[in-house]
């Protein structure tokens, strides 16, 4: 069905619709179509319309938590092809939604690394509900650059990524502070950490580091929207965020933030 879609179809959403073989075939099919269009366009100098085939601007593959992380390898290669073999003048993949697949830290990082190019067209990425864990080391390295390496800033410093969702991954304060610190050198305008674990118990200094990162992001980063609902964000960190807004001298910046907790036991 997906393989027979015309170029006019702009979005493909598959919610818990695929088995292991179907997901692998989908990745191969989409990647082959992308590479074929790119090759045809290079061969004729772009003077003719490229071959037909699926070319979604939005691809959502969600809720496939019954599969294994390795089953997503072909789909990751397709995302890489969308970046390296993008056909000029043709709709590019600009939104990728992988919510609820339990990819794990390593597989999620592979998708992020596929976007680590200056010409990456993806502007919105959702990796929520993928079990990244409190430290999310590999995904953080892919997004922010490896710690201690000043030469490369990761996917956040390249491409046009403006929206990033990492909801319900149990991300802790250290990983969150590292991510938020990297926002200043990025184009990220929308960040969602809903359902994270940003409060205690945690390591010494983790809360202070998170507060400092939030303050700096509010004062200088391009971030416009922040969703940290149900993430146990400490009150001290919220105050640091407000202080950063008071310190901002450049126009723009954060104008919408959700910092509360909807659960009855925390609402007060």
């Amino acid at each position: 069905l997906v393989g027979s879609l015309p170029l006019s179809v702009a979005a493909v959403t598959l919610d818990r619709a695929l088995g292991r073989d179907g997901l692998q075939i989908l990745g191969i099919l989409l990647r082959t179509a992308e590479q074929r269009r790119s090759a045809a366009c290079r061969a004729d100098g772009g003077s003719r319309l490229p071959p037909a085939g699926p070319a979604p601007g939005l691809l959502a593959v969600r809720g496939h938590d019954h599969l294994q992380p390795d089953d997503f390898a072909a789909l990751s290669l397709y995302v890489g092809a969308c970046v390296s073999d993008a056909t000029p003048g043709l709709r590019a993949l600009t939104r990728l939604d992988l919510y609820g697949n339990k990819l794990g830290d390593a597989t999620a990082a592979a998708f992020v690394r596929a976007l680590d190019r200056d010409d990456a067209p993806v502007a919105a990425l959702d990796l929520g509900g993928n079990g990244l864990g409190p430290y999310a080391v590999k995904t953080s390295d892919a997004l922010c650059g490896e710690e201690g390496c000043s030469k490369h800033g990761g996917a956040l410093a390249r491409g046009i990524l403006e929206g990033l969702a990492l909801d319900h991954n149990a991300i802790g304060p250290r990983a969150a502070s590292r991510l938020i610190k990297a926002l200043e050198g990025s184009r990220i305008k929308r960040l969602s950490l809903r359902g994270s674990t940003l409060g205690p118990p945690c390591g010494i200094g983790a809360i202070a580091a998170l507060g400092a990162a939030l303050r700096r992001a509010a004062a200088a980063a391009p971030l416009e929207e922040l969703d940290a609902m149900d993430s146990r964000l400490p009150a001290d960190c919220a105050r640091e965020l407000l202080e950063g807004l008071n310190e901002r001298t450049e126009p723009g910046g954060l104008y919408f933030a959700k910092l509360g907790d909807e659960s009855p036991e925390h609402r007060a």
Side-chain angles (χ1 to χ4, degrees):
L1 175 63
V2 174
S4 64
L5 293 175
L7 287 173
S8 58
V9 176
V12 174
T13 299
L14 298 164
D15 288 348
R16 202 173 177 84
L18 299 169
R20 177 177 180 271
D21 292 344
L23 178 60
Q24 292 177 343
I25 291 170
L26 174 71
I28 293 169
L29 184 152
L30 291 172
R31 182 187 179 198
T32 301
E34 192 70 36
Q35 292 174 332
R36 187 175 298 163
R37 279 191 297 270
S38 180
C41 196
R42 287 194 300 267
D44 62 20
S47 59
R48 293 181 299 174
L49 288 175
L58 162 66
L59 177 63
V61 179
R62 303 181 296 208
H64 292 79
D65 53 0
H66 55 290
L67 302 180
Q68 297 299 312
D70 289 346
D71 296 336
F72 289 81
L75 195 64
S76 176
L77 291 174
Y78 158 65
V79 175
C82 287
V83 175
S84 60
D85 296 318
T87 306
L90 185 67
R91 181 195 306 116
L93 180 67
T94 59
R95 292 181 291 166
L96 179 62
D97 186 348
L98 298 171
Y99 184 89
N101 292 312
K102 291 188 177 179
L103 296 175
D105 189 24
T107 302
F111 279 97
V112 174
R113 285 194 297 271
L115 307 180
D116 192 358
R117 289 172 58 109
D118 292 334
D119 55 354
V122 175
L125 175 64
D126 191 336
L127 289 173
N130 278 300
L132 303 186
Y135 298 103
V137 175
K138 294 181 179 180
T139 302
S140 297
D141 284 347
L143 285 167
C144 310
E146 294 187 15
E147 288 191 287
C149 179
S150 59
K151 293 183 179 180
H152 180 59
L156 290 184
R158 308 178 74 181
I160 60 170
L161 193 63
E162 294 185 349
L164 177 63
L166 298 171
D167 303 343
H168 305 294
N169 277 306
I171 289 175
R174 288 203 180 278
S177 62
R178 183 182 175 193
L179 173 65
I180 292 168
K181 281 197 297 184
L183 295 182
E184 192 172 347
S186 76
R187 299 189 184 191
I188 294 291
K189 296 180 179 179
R190 299 174 302 279
L191 175 64
S192 183
L193 296 171
R194 181 181 284 256
S196 296
T197 311
L198 304 182
C202 56
I204 297 174
I207 299 300
L210 177 58
L214 285 168
R215 183 169 186 157
R216 181 61 186 169
L223 185 67
E224 296 179 352
E225 301 178 24
L226 173 65
D227 188 347
M229 288 290 290
D230 300 323
S231 63
R232 292 163 46 190
L233 183 72
D236 289 346
C237 291
R239 280 193 287 269
E240 291 284 356
L241 179 71
L242 294 175
E243 288 296 331
L245 288 175
N246 290 331
E247 295 169 1
R248 190 174 187 94
T249 58
E250 298 294 326
L254 190 69
Y255 69 86
F256 183 80
K258 286 185 172 183
L259 305 177
D261 197 323
E262 293 178 337
S263 60
E265 63 269 28
H266 294 116
R267 190 169 294 160

